[in-house]
Amino acid sequence: MKRLHRGIRIWFPRFLTRFNLYLFYMSLIIFSLYLVGNFQRFSDETLRFLFRGMDIYFYTYIVFSLGNVIFHSLLVKETAGKKTFFYIKSLAYTALIAALYLLINLLSAFFSGA
């Protein structure tokens, strides 16, 4: 996998991709903690803390994912197949994060009584 721009190896897209993957997995881990917390009867404050943590991870993921797509499309030179796979993968991760974000906000509104 060569990522070259004018003969210079670019490390930033690889860093952004790995950081986005980290944020994605951390969002899934926090969501699973929320599910486990419901069955083990975590306190309401702990569940709200998990909601706030998930919000931070969601927003950070969206910002860095958008930056990664923009950076990748402008500077990284790869074959069309690899770029298409990258865009499909980024869209799938973002759609899953958006669905989790919507679910968490709906559950938060439901439990707060709003």
Side-chain angles (χ1 to χ4, degrees):
M1 174 186 339
K2 293 183 180 178
R3 295 182 172 178
L4 299 176
H5 179 69
R6 297 185 185 137
I8 301 171
R9 184 169 175 85
I10 300 175
W11 59 271
F12 197 61
R14 190 173 358 142
F15 170 75
L16 280 178
T17 302
R18 289 179 182 174
F19 188 67
N20 283 340
L21 194 62
Y22 164 76
L23 291 172
F24 175 75
Y25 284 131
M26 284 303 294
S27 296
L28 291 179
I29 288 170
I30 291 178
F31 183 72
S32 65
L33 282 174
Y34 168 76
L35 291 177
V36 169
N38 277 333
F39 290 113
Q40 294 191 359
R41 300 178 190 218
F42 283 1
S43 69
D44 291 339
E45 289 300 315
T46 305
L47 293 176
R48 285 190 195 110
F49 177 73
L50 288 173
F51 284 150
R52 286 190 299 258
M54 280 190 278
D55 278 346
I56 291 169
Y57 277 111
F58 291 149
Y59 292 137
T60 308
Y61 177 83
I62 294 298
V63 167
F64 279 99
S65 178
L66 181 63
N68 191 19
V69 168
I70 290 171
F71 193 82
H72 197 274
S73 63
L74 292 178
L75 294 179
V76 176
K77 296 188 179 194
E78 289 182 340
T79 61
K82 286 184 180 180
K83 276 194 174 186
T84 304
F85 179 70
F86 171 77
Y87 292 134
I88 290 171
K89 184 176 64 172
S90 295
L91 181 65
Y93 285 162
T94 305
L96 184 59
I97 287 290
L100 283 176
Y101 179 73
L102 179 65
L103 179 68
I104 290 303
N105 282 330
L106 287 174
L107 289 173
S108 177
F110 178 72
F111 289 129
S112 68

